[in-house]
């Protein structure tokens, strides 16, 4: 520890000495912390050679690459002039050593910006984003992102590749776990919350990091749920579904964006001038930069756009992609492309300006080094664990609770069964940063801590997550027979979701379903606890289980939260931010689809229901909420007038609880067809038993009733609109 601190002090001293040794008058403007950032950039740019500029537009890696999908040529001897590094370590010292090289061995002493995938926690791992969305609590998500930012920045990371805000309609796609579900508005709200949580008000603060909205854009529209593949997205759908969360994230101040891997109807996201330059930079005025996804520039060759890496560099850069992550296309070919006149110096300057702007905003020129602290000071702090526990509680969704089986009250003997019961690792989910298995309490231990004194417990694994070994069934059945209630913990391995983790079916492996069928023979009530990174096909399990609790991949503190819900210490309040299909064959299925040309029983499946098993917004509580009449301030409004709507909600049960009200609008007839309903606002409030609260929605007519056309232009048409809350519909007439 002492040695590390000494090295840090020496680095600091080194910088100070270098600065003071020079004649004060000759200190270049870009090193003057008091000068305006844009002037500092002008000054620095004027001193840079083309080679130095090009290096700012490249990102390599430092440390042990911990991601199997990040396949690429590692640069062992990193040049001091490199613009950015992905930092795969938690030790500030490794960063500081490299940064020292940049500060002292490069001609101009430009600091490196260190990035990393801090997705749902750095070391204190909290629920996956899909789970977070089901909390409908953006304030809490903001706090969680602030925890992640603190742990990351104090470990040497300045910039996170998060949030992912790809609206997902296909749960076969493994990355559905990483976003905030199927709705554009919801993704936008959580985009803003996480950007605020990561960045705060001051990027130079020692506990904040720069955010990166990804993957820009349309990556989630992957055909048949396969990763990296072609996406067919009409201009209308681009503007209706995929761009809106990005616009909100940009407005919230997101420092950077990551270009997507996917081919967007013939023009890959990483070579797309329309999305990166026309929309993002010109129309939305984003002044940060766009980094490619890993190797995405080079992938233009695989996608059949560029025949060489050099051509790929030209396509990407001319489209507005500022930084190349690990394709080695910009570092190898950019200089040549400028010399050949294929790229102008003005373009280079513009991209370098964007990169430098972030470095200045992060305060890296003044504070290039990370103070050396020990892990205890940074990680798993009590206040951080508290945020993780609350977010886990609120993200869990009680899908079914037949005959009010839950909370567990009288039952004195609990059988805890299943491959997820004593499995901490899979609770962390994909992209779990520097999370460690040992940090996560197992579901069994969580139950033991919760019920240990009140009830007897028996455990049997029953089966593995997959395979066909049924040898554990007998022991599991015996435990079930002994018990008053069976808690069966099933689910997915963490590797089954995330990048490159597509699945052809969203059902659990057959062995897990068979285990439940076996347990059913005991005739005891069954509570199914599900650990997953996506909605699952539950139709066969649903009929066999009395209660179902979806806990997602809840992170380090999920077990205690799950057990608290089962015991009734916590009243569940999560609601689905994504539809649970009845079966995989229904995919894509999502609530805000457009209307069909035929009604009634035409155009529906002939073999199964066409309804989802659990719709968007579904989630049960241990108390009941009764909605009063939805009341608008007017039923006829003119353009530019104000409109607000209210509804009183009463907790008519005997327990305290929380309710989220979702406000939808519908435009039954419009000059372009519109979705059946669209979420425009939501709010979650806490209730005491018996309490009544008022929920309020201020409608902005342009924003909420209006629509965008295929060029992203907004229109508001006169006519009839509907405001929808639960099963109530209020008609509003908009007159000219
Ligand atoms: C590829 C993933 O698509 C992206 O989300 C991630 O940020 C980069 N790799 C860096 O790890």
């Amino acid at each position: 520890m002492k040695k590390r601190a000494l090295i840090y002090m020496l680095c600091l001293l080194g910088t100070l000495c270098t600065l003071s040794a020079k004649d004060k008058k000759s200190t270049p403007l870009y090193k003057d912390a008091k000068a305006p950032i844009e002037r500092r950039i002008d000054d620095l740019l004027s001193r840079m050679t083309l080679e130095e500029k090009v290096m700012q537009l490249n990102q390599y890696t430092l440390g042990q690459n911990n991601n199997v999908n990040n396949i690429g040529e590692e640069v062992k001897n990193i040049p001091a002039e490199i613009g950015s590094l992905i930092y795969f370590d938690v030790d500030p010292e490794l960063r500081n050593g490299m940064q020292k090289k940049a500060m002292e061995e490069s001609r101009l002493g430009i600091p490196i910006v260190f990035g990393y995938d801090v997705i749902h926690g750095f070391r204190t791992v909290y629920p996956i984003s899909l789970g977070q969305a089901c909390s409908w609590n953006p304030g809490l998500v903001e706090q969680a992102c602030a925890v992640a930012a603190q742990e990351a920045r104090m470990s040497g990371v300045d910039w996170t590749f998060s949030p992912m805000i790809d609206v997902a309609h296909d749960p076969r796609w493994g990355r559905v776990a990483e976003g905030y579900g199927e709705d554009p508005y919801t993704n936008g709200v959580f985009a803003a919350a996480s950007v605020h949580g990561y960045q705060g008000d001051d990027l130079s603060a020692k506990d904040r990091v720069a955010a990166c909205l990804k993957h820009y854009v349309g990556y989630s529209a992957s055909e048949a749920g396969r990763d990296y593949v072609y996406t067919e997205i009409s201009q209308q759908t681009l503007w209706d579904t995929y761009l809106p969360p990005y616009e909100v994230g940009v407005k919230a101040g997101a420092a950077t964006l990551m270009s997507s891997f996917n081919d967007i109807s013939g023009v890959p996201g990483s070579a797309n001038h329309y999305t990166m330059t026309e929309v993002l930079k010109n129309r939305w005025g984003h002044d940060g930069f766009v980094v490619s996804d890993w190797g995405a520039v080079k992938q233009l060759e695989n996608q059949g756009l560029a025949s060489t890496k050099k051509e790929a560099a030209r396509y990407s850069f001319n489209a507005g992609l500022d930084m190349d992550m690990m394709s080695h296309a910009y570092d190898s070919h950019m200089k040549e492309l400028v010399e050949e006149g294929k790229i102008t110096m003005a373009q280079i300057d513009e991209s370098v300006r964007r990169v430098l702007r972030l470095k200045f905003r992060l305060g890296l020129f003044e504070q290039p080094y990370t103070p050396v602290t020990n892990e205890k000071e940074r990680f798993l702090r009590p206040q951080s664990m508290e945020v993780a526990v609350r977010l886990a509680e609120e993200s869990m969704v009680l899908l079914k609770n037949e005959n009010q089986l839950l909370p567990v009250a009288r039952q004195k003997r609990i059988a805890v069964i299943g491959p997820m019961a004593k499995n901490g690792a899979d609770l962390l989910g994909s992209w779990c940063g520097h999370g460690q298995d040992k940090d996560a309490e197992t579901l069994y231990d969580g139950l033991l801590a919760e019920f240990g004194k009140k009830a007897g417990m028996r455990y049997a694994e029953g089966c593995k997550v997959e395979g066909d070994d049924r040898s554990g069934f007998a022991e599991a059945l015996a435990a079930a027979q002994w018990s008053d209630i069976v808690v069966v913990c099933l689910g997915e391995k963490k590797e089954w979701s995330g990048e490159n983790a597509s699945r052809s079916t969203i059902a659990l492996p057959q062995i897990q379903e068979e285990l439940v069928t076996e347990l059913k023979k005991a005739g005891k009530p069954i509570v199914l606890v599900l650990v997953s990174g996506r909605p699952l096909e539950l139709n066969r399990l649903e009929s066999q289980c009395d209660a179902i609790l979806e806990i997602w991949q809840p992170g380090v503190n999920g077990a205690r939260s799950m057990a608290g819900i089962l015991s009734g210490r916590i009243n569940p309040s999560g609601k689905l931010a994504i539809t649970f299909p009845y079966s995989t064959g229904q995919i894509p299925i999502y609530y805000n689809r457009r209307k069909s040309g035929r009604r009634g029983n035409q155009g529906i499946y002939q073999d199964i229901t066409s309804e989802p098993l659990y719709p968007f917004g579904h989630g049960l509580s241990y108390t009941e909420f009764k909605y009063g009449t939805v009341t608008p301030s007017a039923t006829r409004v003119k353009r530019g007038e104000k409109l607000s709507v209210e509804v009183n909600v009463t907790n008519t049960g005997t327990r305290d609880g929380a309710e989220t009200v979702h406000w939808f609008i519908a435009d039954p007839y419009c000059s372009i067809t519109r979705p059946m309903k669209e979420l425009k606002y939501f709010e979650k409030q806490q209730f005491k038993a018996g309490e009544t609260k008022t929920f309020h929605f201020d409608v902005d007519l342009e924003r909420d009733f209006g629509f965008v056309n295929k060029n992203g232009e907004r229109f508001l048409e006169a006519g009839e609109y509907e405001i929808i809350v639960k099963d109530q519909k209020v008609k509003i007439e908009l007159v000219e």
Side-chain angles (χ1 to χ4, degrees):
M1 195 29 241
K2 274 190 177 161
K3 192 178 145 215
R4 286 175 178 199
L6 198 68
I7 293 178
Y8 172 65
M9 290 306 292
L10 286 177
C11 288
L12 209 63
L13 213 64
T15 319
L16 291 176
C17 289
T18 324
L19 282 179
S20 63
K22 288 181 186 160
D23 178 359
K24 274 206 169 165
K25 277 185 200 147
S26 73
T27 302
L29 182 65
Y30 75 90
K31 289 195 173 166
D32 178 0
K34 293 202 186 75
I37 285 181
E38 295 307 312
R39 289 197 49 218
R40 295 177 78 182
I41 299 174
D42 288 339
D43 179 59
L44 183 48
L45 276 173
S46 73
R47 296 167 191 269
M48 292 171 80
T49 62
L50 174 57
E51 289 83 349
E52 285 165 340
K53 289 175 183 173
V54 167
M55 283 317 288
Q56 285 302 309
L57 305 179
N58 286 279
Q59 183 177 59
Y60 302 162
T61 64
L62 180 65
Q64 185 61 45
N65 181 352
N66 61 8
N67 183 329
V68 289
N69 297 307
N70 285 345
I71 307 159
E73 200 187 308
E74 187 190 339
V75 177
K76 289 268 182 335
N77 189 13
I78 302 166
E81 293 75 20
I82 188 69
S84 177
L85 292 170
I86 302 185
Y87 190 54
F88 289 110
D89 211 293
V90 296
D91 185 355
E93 221 175 354
L94 179 64
R95 170 209 163 101
N96 289 343
M98 183 61 225
Q99 191 72 300
K100 191 169 188 297
K101 182 169 171 185
M103 299 306 291
E104 294 176 11
E105 293 176 30
S106 72
R107 194 175 63 89
L108 294 162
I110 303 177
I112 298 164
V113 57
F114 294 82
Y116 185 61
D117 289 288
V118 187
I119 308 297
H120 54 113
F122 187 74
R123 173 70 186 269
T124 304
V125 177
Y126 45 85
I128 55 169
S129 305
L130 185 57
Q132 292 170 39
C134 299
S135 75
W136 301 98
N137 191 341
L140 191 51
V141 168
E142 182 175 333
Q143 286 178 40
C145 291
V147 168
Q150 167 264 310
E151 292 189 346
R153 189 77 187 249
M154 288 179 75
S155 303
V157 174
D158 314 300
W159 172 29
T160 172
F161 307 134
S162 172
M164 186 190 104
I165 47 174
D166 296 327
V167 173
H169 291 168
D170 193 332
R172 291 171 298 183
W173 189 54
R175 306 201 76 170
V176 70
E178 296 175 54
Y180 302 99
E182 73 189 36
D183 176 60
Y185 173 74
T186 309
N187 271 277
V189 171
F190 285 102
S194 45
V195 167
H196 292 144
Y198 289 133
Q199 300 191 166
D201 299 328
D202 175 11
L203 276 177
S204 71
K206 64 180 186 328
D207 55 359
R208 300 291 184 174
V209 293
C212 180
L213 308 175
K214 71 184 189 187
H215 306 82
Y216 190 66
V217 56
Y219 182 31
S220 47
S222 67
E223 279 190 336
R226 286 178 54 199
D227 216 349
Y228 313 120
V229 299
Y230 180 74
T231 57
E232 182 52 63
I233 307 175
S234 71
Q235 279 285 119
Q236 185 62 48
T237 301
L238 191 65
W239 279 100
D240 277 346
T241 305
Y242 297 107
L243 286 173
Y246 286 93
E247 188 170 7
V248 177
V250 166
K251 280 206 184 113
T256 66
L257 284 88
M258 184 183 290
S259 72
S260 58
F261 285 134
N262 55 302
D263 184 341
I264 310 168
S265 298
V267 187
S270 296
N272 201 307
H273 189 267
Y274 179 69
T275 56
M276 289 190 288
T277 298
E278 289 173 50
V279 176
L280 174 69
K281 292 178 180 173
N282 297 349
R283 204 185 292 193
W284 296 343
H286 186 248
D287 70 357
F289 67 89
V290 184
V291 62
S292 79
D293 202 338
W294 181 285
V297 178
K298 189 172 159 31
Q299 272 179 213
L300 298 180
E301 290 178 74
N302 295 348
Q303 287 168 318
L305 187 72
S307 58
T308 60
K309 201 155 79 169
K310 180 172 167 189
E311 204 176 46
R314 180 165 64 86
Y315 271 119
S316 289
F317 192 70
N318 282 330
L321 177 50
D322 304 292
M323 185 182 278
D324 168 3
M325 180 195 288
M326 285 304 281
S327 281
H328 298 300
Y330 285 12
D331 52 7
S332 317
H333 302 293
M334 195 75 92
K335 184 167 176 269
E336 225 177 308
L337 286 166
V338 174
E339 285 160 359
E340 288 168 11
K342 304 262 171 48
I343 284 173
T344 66
M345 198 62 174
Q347 283 175 287
I348 299 269
D349 283 354
E350 175 56 24
S351 288
V352 176
R353 172 178 294 279
R354 288 169 178 271
V355 172
L356 293 175
R357 193 176 279 140
L358 179 66
K359 295 186 176 187
F360 280 114
R361 286 180 179 163
L362 283 163
L364 294 176
F365 283 83
E366 287 69 48
Q367 289 286 349
Y369 304 111
T370 304
V372 177
T373 49
N374 64 40
E375 294 197 0
K376 256 202 171 152
E377 292 169 73
R378 283 178 263 152
F379 298 152
L380 306 165
R381 305 198 293 193
Q383 63 272 42
S384 308
M385 293 293 265
E386 175 57 27
V387 173
V389 90
R390 282 183 44 220
L391 191 48
E393 282 170 23
E394 296 202 27
S395 66
M396 296 179 179
V397 185
L398 183 61
L399 296 173
K400 179 176 180 181
N401 194 16
E402 198 89 333
N403 303 319
Q404 264 79 57
L405 172 65
L406 293 178
V408 174
R410 295 166 306 282
Q411 295 88 346
K412 289 285 170 235
R413 286 181 296 195
I414 305 175
V416 183
I417 293 169
M420 286 293 157
K422 287 201 175 177
N423 172 347
D426 288 320
L427 299 182
L428 297 182
S430 68
W431 295 108
C432 55
H434 294 284
Q436 298 188 4
D437 301 358
K438 66 173 165 59
D439 298 337
E441 189 178 33
T442 66
L443 298 183
Y444 177 81
D445 286 342
L447 289 165
L448 197 63
E450 190 80 27
F451 290 100
K453 294 200 179 99
K454 297 182 255 173
M457 275 175 50
R458 249 197 220 178
Y459 162 77
E461 187 182 30
C463 67
K464 301 283 178 213
V465 180
E466 58 188 334
D468 52 13
D469 181 1
R470 291 166 186 76
S471 60
F473 277 22
E475 188 197 355
L477 181 58
Q481 280 159 341
W482 160 87
S483 74
D484 301 320
I485 188 167
V486 179
V487 176
V488 58
C489 306
L490 305 181
E492 299 188 304
K493 286 186 180 177
K494 65 174 188 290
E495 295 77 19
W496 292 0
S497 48
E499 186 181 347
N500 197 14
S502 305
R503 296 184 77 77
S504 69
T505 168
I506 59 166
L508 287 176
Q510 198 179 331
I511 187 89
Q512 295 197 46
E513 294 193 357
E514 281 181 23
L515 175 65
V516 176
T517 308
E518 188 70 12
L519 297 175
K520 190 80 187 145
K521 292 180 186 159
K524 305 295 166 69
I526 297 182
V527 180
L528 171 58
V529 172
L530 286 169
V531 178
S532 69
R534 55 160 60 76
L536 297 169
E537 174 180 305
L538 296 176
N539 64 61
R540 288 167 301 281
L541 286 168
E542 200 267 348
S543 53
Q544 306 195 67
C545 300
D546 302 272
I548 305 179
L549 180 67
E550 171 61 72
I551 70 169
W552 308 109
Q553 287 147 336
V556 281
N557 288 332
R560 204 54 73 85
S561 306
M562 176 279 300
I565 289 178
L566 262 49
S567 75
R569 176 171 55 79
I570 299 160
N571 191 351
S573 63
K575 292 184 186 227
L576 294 177
I578 192 158
T579 301
F580 269 52
Y582 175 83
S583 81
T584 306
Q586 289 181 328
I587 296 170
I589 182 168
Y590 50 96
Y591 87 91
N592 52 345
R593 59 192 185 278
R594 282 181 156 84
K595 288 167 246 177
S596 161
R598 294 272 175 112
R599 301 206 173 142
N601 61 2
Q602 289 199 289
I604 57 172
Y605 293 112
Q606 301 298 313
D607 54 343
I608 54 162
T609 172
S610 294
E611 294 304 314
L613 185 61
Y614 299 119
F616 178 84
H618 173 75
L620 305 173
S621 164
Y622 294 151
T623 189
E624 263 187 57
F625 293 99
K626 203 165 172 298
Y627 283 56
T629 307
V630 175
T631 316
S633 57
T635 49
R636 239 171 103 89
V637 280
K638 282 199 189 126
R639 229 175 259 276
E641 280 183 355
K642 287 201 158 79
L643 174 69
S644 64
V645 203
E646 276 182 5
V647 64
N648 285 336
V649 177
T650 305
N651 177 357
T652 55
T654 53
R655 286 170 183 269
D656 299 352
E659 174 68 342
T660 300
V661 171
H662 291 113
W663 298 89
F664 297 92
I665 74 103
D667 182 358
Y669 300 101
C670 178
S671 59
I672 65 161
T673 64
R674 296 187 59 183
M676 292 180 179
K677 59 178 189 175
E678 299 165 51
L679 186 67
K680 292 294 171 181
Y681 184 59
F682 63 83
E683 189 189 355
K684 185 175 193 176
Q685 295 201 42
Q686 302 288 333
F687 288 75
K688 295 264 172 240
E691 195 177 10
T692 298
K693 289 196 167 182
T694 305
F695 287 80
H696 195 91
F697 171 31
D698 283 320
V699 181
D700 175 322
L701 297 178
E702 296 274 342
R703 181 194 63 196
D704 301 322
F705 285 178
F707 64 94
V708 284
N709 71 1
K710 65 180 169 50
N711 299 318
E713 295 154 339
R714 190 156 276 282
F715 294 89
L716 177 64
E717 291 180 351
E720 197 174 273
Y721 292 87
E722 292 164 354
I723 295 176
I724 304 168
V725 176
K726 269 206 149 171
D727 40 17
Q728 293 184 59
K729 226 179 234 182
V730 174
K731 290 195 188 318
I732 308 286
E733 201 189 340
L734 176 72
V735 289
E736 287 298 354

